[in-house]
Amino acid sequence: MAYIQFLGAAGTVTGSKHLINTGDPYGKNGFQALVDCGLFQGQKDWRERNWRHTPVPAKEIDAVILTHAHLDHCGWIPRLVKEGFRGPIYATQPTIDLCGIILPDSGHLQEEDANFYNKGKKSKHDPALPLYTFEEAQASLQYFKSVQVGQTIQLSPELSFRFVRAAHILGSCMAEVSLNFGTKKRRLLFTGDIGRVIDHKFAPGKVVHSGPQEGEVADLVVMESTYGNRAHPKEDPLPELASLITTTARRGGSVVVPAFAIERTQKFVFILKHLMESGQIPRVPVFCDSPMAIKAVEIFLKHDEEYSNETREMIRKYGSPLEWPGFTFASTPEESKKINAVLTPVVIISSSGMVTGGRILHHLAQRLPDPKNLVLFIGFQAPGTRGSAIKSGSKEVKIYGDYVAIRAQVAALEQFSDHADPPELLQWLRTFRNRPGSTYLVHGEPDASSQLREAMTKELGWTVEVAQYLEKVELN
Ligand SMILES: [Zn+2]
């Protein structure tokens, strides 16, 4: 019996992993493909699932189809390989380029976390181990295979897929999967994360193609629901952003922006450049602090086939961010530490975007206690992450084992999101050429998924379920 099974991002926004098993009339397991292979982040009970084996042994999984390069979609790949997976990992070239820097960086962070934990432990027995190391992450890159958008890949006699645009981040795609059982054919659509549907003033700095692929046909849809219970604000955020930065600089404070190192950071530096050039904010020094800062810009500039017209125009006008005066890209730990010594107003953009690790930690440890400073969130903060705690008004946060007082101003601008909100999702779903027999919502907190389910049932008349962790759905 063919089935899909939700091995992650069911009941939560992280750990995306969906197994397709084609079944087998001869009594074997059939072909087994994973759509995405993401890391669980955030709450501890979810993170602990990163240490469990998949229900199907890793070495029995035949292929991975990777929608995009966010860690909650790709970050478990090195672990899958460590556990014995040896098949191809299909992704677009921009996704592969991004994974080439993100996964080793993730391995490095896992090693640092384990070392930090071991230093604080009295006993040398039973040391904490990294989920995977820098080297293991690098070794996993050899299994990646580049796929063009629209190209059909035959995985087995009965299973094939092709990528279509998701408009979420550089290289991001949805996977249209076809399953043939003799005369019966089933079409499955795995959306991965879905980008903003149309260009608006209130979705500024849109980097990639406008809108996900329209006119889809599917029997079964597995769809994200991150923003299922919230519409994005409808105002242009740039005046507010300019005012926040200007006010902070005038009182002698600095702005710290936790942001995913790739794309979100580049999008934001172009916006800062635009605000400076148009005289809307003072020309304070900007630091992009990430071990992959320079490589990230290079990958971003290389894939101009992915750009929206707005991005193309920005790059034509301002050139490479690596050459802008006043913008510094810090790649080494020494360069990163030097930023701590700058006490005049600066803007620091550093990862991780949800403050789960990385260099943002030492910037926040230094600058959170000072009320002159501003911490500005421009991305989704999953419950249980430090980012979520800071954003929701906590008085202190634990960093490197110590409690750090939060006295800095905290602000959030939701308009920079790369996820479609419910009105945008419904607008996209209305372009479908059929009404899918069933839709399963994943990648959402329970409340977000259930509210989106209600909206889809009411507005579209679709049959929609909220996917449960480890739930199996039979396909024939
Ligand atoms: Zn994503």
Side-chain angles (χ1 to χ4, degrees):
M1 187 66 81
Y3 64 87
I4 56 173
Q5 188 179 17
F6 306 110
L7 308 185
T12 184
V13 284
T14 63
S16 270
K17 256 182 239 91
H18 312 302
L19 180 74
I20 307 169
N21 186 318
T22 62
D24 189 327
Y26 309 104
K28 289 193 294 183
N29 277 332
F31 192 92
Q32 305 197 89
L34 267 188
V35 179
D36 287 338
C37 187
L39 204 59
F40 287 109
Q41 296 162 298
Q43 273 152 356
K44 197 175 174 197
D45 54 333
W46 284 112
R47 271 186 287 127
E48 281 170 351
R49 291 173 212 219
N50 286 325
W51 294 90
R52 294 192 199 157
H53 298 298
T54 45
V56 173
K59 62 176 187 304
E60 290 179 18
I61 292 170
D62 299 292
V64 174
I65 301 167
L66 177 60
T67 62
H68 68 288
H70 276 154
L71 272 185
D72 57 333
H73 292 257
C74 68
W76 210 74
I77 285 173
R79 183 73 188 188
L80 187 76
V81 172
K82 186 173 178 166
E83 292 197 356
F85 171 81
R86 294 293 178 267
I89 300 161
Y90 295 103
T92 62
Q93 192 57 49
T95 298
I96 295 175
D97 290 351
L98 295 177
C99 284
I101 55 175
I102 290 165
L103 294 179
D105 179 67
S106 171
H108 176 70
L109 289 178
Q110 304 279 349
E111 287 185 72
E112 274 189 347
D113 281 355
N115 288 342
F116 177 77
Y117 184 75
N118 289 334
K119 263 190 214 157
K121 270 194 358 183
K122 290 186 183 75
S123 164
K124 290 273 176 286
H125 301 290
D126 195 21
L129 297 170
L131 192 62
Y132 52 83
T133 64
F134 175 88
E135 264 155 37
E136 285 163 341
Q138 271 201 317
S140 72
L141 299 173
Q142 65 184 293
Y143 299 102
F144 280 79
K145 287 206 164 18
S146 174
V147 176
Q148 303 271 349
V149 175
Q151 180 188 357
T152 299
I153 302 290
Q154 197 71 41
L155 294 168
S156 76
E158 65 276 27
L159 186 68
S160 65
F161 82 95
R162 65 175 195 143
F163 281 136
V164 295
R165 298 276 185 201
H168 169 58
I169 63 160
L170 203 75
S172 67
C173 280
M174 303 185 181
E176 284 180 2
V177 174
S178 292
L179 252 172
N180 287 306
F181 316 98
T183 52
K184 263 201 290 180
K185 191 173 178 184
R186 302 291 305 265
R187 286 180 65 123
L188 321 177
L189 179 70
F190 292 84
T191 68
D193 288 348
I194 304 166
R196 308 298 293 271
V197 170
I198 33 173
D199 282 331
H200 286 297
K201 257 253 174 310
F202 53 82
K206 202 166 179 319
V207 178
V208 289
H209 287 274
S210 295
Q213 167 92 13
E214 296 190 346
E216 281 294 326
V217 179
D219 300 306
L220 184 146
V221 179
V222 176
M223 176 175 153
E224 75 128 322
S225 53
T226 315
Y227 277 85
N229 55 351
R230 272 157 309 165
H232 297 310
K234 296 286 177 268
E235 310 81 46
D236 177 358
L238 297 193
E240 192 184 347
L241 174 63
S243 152
L244 283 165
I245 294 174
T246 307
T247 313
T248 307
R250 277 201 192 131
R251 66 178 179 236
S254 289
V255 182
V256 183
V257 185
F260 183 60
I262 293 149
E263 186 174 294
R264 182 62 60 89
T265 293
Q266 284 84 55
K267 177 168 161 172
F268 196 69
V269 295
F270 270 101
I271 289 170
L272 291 179
K273 177 77 174 163
H274 169 68
L275 292 177
M276 281 180 194
E277 294 298 327
S278 54
Q280 297 179 69
I281 59 170
R283 289 181 187 271
V284 291
V286 175
F287 291 93
C288 295
D289 185 22
S290 151
M292 34 195 176
I294 294 169
K295 276 193 204 153
V297 175
E298 285 166 352
I299 291 175
F300 176 81
L301 291 176
K302 179 176 144 193
H303 289 289
D304 59 353
E305 77 281 7
E306 292 274 309
Y307 298 165
S308 63
N309 289 338
E310 185 187 343
T311 307
R312 217 178 295 279
E313 178 57 21
M314 288 267 223
I315 292 172
R316 193 195 59 74
K317 206 161 155 189
Y318 298 126
S320 165
L322 297 176
E323 284 154 23
W324 297 343
F327 286 70
T328 307
F329 290 79
S331 285
T332 68
E334 292 69 35
E335 288 167 332
S336 175
K337 280 181 202 134
K338 272 191 196 158
I339 304 170
N340 286 348
V342 185
L343 299 175
T344 50
V346 292
V347 176
I348 302 165
I349 309 159
S350 186
S351 57
S352 72
M354 298 194 282
V355 202
T356 50
R359 294 180 183 176
I360 190 69
L361 294 180
H362 80 81
H363 295 302
L364 288 175
Q366 188 199 9
R367 296 183 194 259
L368 270 175
D370 186 344
K372 286 203 297 292
N373 296 328
L374 166 73
V375 178
L376 176 63
F377 290 100
I378 55 169
F380 185 79
Q381 303 301 312
T385 58
R386 283 192 199 87
S388 167
I390 299 169
K391 189 178 162 186
S392 59
S394 293
K395 294 274 174 280
E396 56 181 17
V397 66
K398 204 173 182 184
I399 297 177
Y400 302 132
D402 292 322
Y403 283 98
V404 175
I406 303 175
R407 296 192 203 96
Q409 184 188 354
V410 176
L413 291 172
E414 306 290 348
Q415 291 96 325
F416 296 101
S417 174
D418 290 314
H419 291 267
D421 67 0
E424 293 175 336
L425 288 171
L426 290 170
Q427 186 182 339
W428 172 63
L429 293 169
R430 284 197 181 97
T431 72
F432 273 52
R433 284 185 283 144
N434 74 329
R435 185 185 295 182
S438 48
T439 297
Y440 288 84
L441 296 180
V442 295
H443 206 282
E445 293 302 316
D447 188 49
S449 302
S450 68
Q451 284 199 37
L452 183 61
R453 176 182 173 274
E454 257 173 54
M456 287 172 67
T457 311
K458 197 169 139 228
E459 303 276 327
L460 308 170
W462 285 24
T463 305
V464 184
E465 310 266 352
V466 177
Q468 304 299 311
Y469 181 59
L470 298 183
E471 181 186 4
K472 275 187 188 181
V473 177
E474 287 182 6
L475 291 176
N476 40 352

